[in-house]
């Protein structure tokens, strides 16, 4: 796979990775990962613990640099883009375990999501949008984020990412550590977000639940893509059902 040429913008995915290797020091976590996400899609990355899913998200958002391969957003080479400029191109990353500023209020955490220039100019508009999407955050806006429940913290983390008005939202294990009823609420919120036209790439171990809210999925095992297809195809795949759906 190669980046599309500039004279073929219609065929270009929003996000494109080709033959990406990455890791930490001498440890290699990703091996030749190739995937793409089209504008308006919701795409999942599933797989066991240690498969490289979180590393994949960190590579896309620029937190770590790959050792080989290509990553492009709307044709722009992310490997030539400084990490602090990647949010300006339209990527927002909700990391695993939320990573809120625990000693700051909810509203100050949301303000931190609007640090890029284009978002600062629309701060009031984006804040109103997030509060409409998450009314609980409006109620808790002056509460210290570290005292929120797990579900409320996840809402705050997603809201913070949405403050930058991203083109691509990266969600890393949004259901991790949450009670089942809260997990259902989080997935319902993800459905609402993507119904508004936002492109979503989501890493999730709750395979059955996530395959019901995305268009397509990639199975990542031992750092490489082992399978990909529509959500329906993966739900009906016997090997995936046995390994990940408990069937």
């Amino acid at each position: 796979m190669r980046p599309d040429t500039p004279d073929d913008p219609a065929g270009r995915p929003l996000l494109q990775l080709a033959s990406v290797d990455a890791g930490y020091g001498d440890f290699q976590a990703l091996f030749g990962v190739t995937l793409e996400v089209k504008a308006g899609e919701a795409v999942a990355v599933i797989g066991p613990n240690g498969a490289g899913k979180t590393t994949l998200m960190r590579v896309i958002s620029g937190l770590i640099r790959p050792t080989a391969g290509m990553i492009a957003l709307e044709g722009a080479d992310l490997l030539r883009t400084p990490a602090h400029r990647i949010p300006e191109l339209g990527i927002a990353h909700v990391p695993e375990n939320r990573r809120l500023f625990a000693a700051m209020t909810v509203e100050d955490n949301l303000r931190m999501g609007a640090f890029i220039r284009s978002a600062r100019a629309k701060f009031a508009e984006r804040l109103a949008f997030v509060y409409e999407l998450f009314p609980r955050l409006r109620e808790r806006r002056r509460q210290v984020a570290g005292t929120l429940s797990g579900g409320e913290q996840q809402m705050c983390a997603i809201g913070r990412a949405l403050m930058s008005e991203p083109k691509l939202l990266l969600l890393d294990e949004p259901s991790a550590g949450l009670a089942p009823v809260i997990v259902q609420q989080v997935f319902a919120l993800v459905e609402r977000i993507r119904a508004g036209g936002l492109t979503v790439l989501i890493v999730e171990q709750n395979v059955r639940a996530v395959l019901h809210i995305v268009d397509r999925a990639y199975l990542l095992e031992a750092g490489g893509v082992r399978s990909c297809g529509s959500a329906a195809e993966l739900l009906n795949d016997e090997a995936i059902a046995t390994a990940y759906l408990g069937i």
Side-chain angles (χ1 to χ4, degrees):
M1 185 181 293
R2 59 175 180 80
D4 290 280
T5 55
D7 60 350
D8 184 28
R12 180 189 301 147
L14 177 68
L15 175 71
Q16 187 176 21
L17 281 73
S19 304
V20 170
D21 295 346
Y24 308 89
D26 293 333
F27 175 75
Q28 186 169 346
L30 298 178
F31 298 83
V33 171
T34 294
L35 63 79
E36 66 179 37
V37 182
K38 294 182 172 61
E41 276 194 309
V43 176
V45 179
I46 61 174
N49 284 330
K53 303 186 300 296
T54 290
T55 300
L56 174 64
M57 301 298 255
R58 291 173 177 170
V59 164
I60 295 169
S61 64
L63 290 176
I64 65 173
R65 290 296 187 181
T67 55
M70 180 279 298
I71 307 176
L73 183 76
E74 293 187 317
D77 185 352
L78 295 187
L79 303 188
R80 296 185 178 183
T81 305
H84 69 278
R85 296 293 305 275
I86 288 177
E88 296 177 9
L89 296 180
I91 293 178
H93 184 180
V94 181
E96 187 178 18
N97 299 321
R98 300 174 279 277
R99 304 291 183 180
L100 296 176
F101 298 97
M104 295 168 58
T105 66
V106 166
E107 191 155 304
D108 282 341
N109 269 273
L110 297 178
R111 189 179 299 275
M112 293 299 293
F115 72 94
I116 62 174
R117 181 174 300 178
S118 61
R120 290 198 301 269
K122 296 183 176 181
F123 175 75
E125 175 187 333
R126 296 305 296 171
L127 188 64
F129 169 78
V130 170
Y131 281 157
E132 181 178 357
L133 188 64
F134 304 111
R136 184 68 60 85
L137 295 184
R138 185 193 301 274
E139 298 170 8
R140 302 282 194 267
R141 64 187 182 277
R142 293 188 176 89
Q143 185 170 331
V144 173
T147 65
L148 297 174
S149 69
E152 290 168 344
Q153 288 188 15
Q154 190 60 265
M155 292 177 195
C156 189
I158 295 172
R160 180 178 62 185
L162 294 175
M163 288 294 294
S164 64
E165 198 172 12
K167 298 173 183 176
L168 173 65
L169 180 65
L170 306 178
L171 295 171
D172 192 354
E173 300 281 7
S175 74
L178 302 181
V181 64
I182 304 300
V183 170
Q184 292 177 5
Q185 294 175 13
V186 168
F187 280 120
L189 287 167
V190 173
E191 285 190 283
R192 286 181 60 191
I193 291 167
R194 65 78 47 99
L198 182 60
T199 307
V200 177
L201 180 63
I202 179 171
V203 159
E204 183 54 57
Q205 288 209 55
N206 191 333
V207 175
R208 185 186 301 278
V210 79
L211 289 180
H212 280 99
I213 66 168
V214 299
D215 302 301
R216 297 186 300 111
Y218 291 83
L219 173 61
L220 197 67
E221 292 182 337
V225 174
R226 301 300 179 226
S227 180
C228 64
S230 71
E233 289 171 340
L234 268 66
L235 275 168
N236 293 318
D237 185 288
E238 291 186 6
I240 291 175
T242 299
Y244 300 103
L245 303 181
I247 297 175

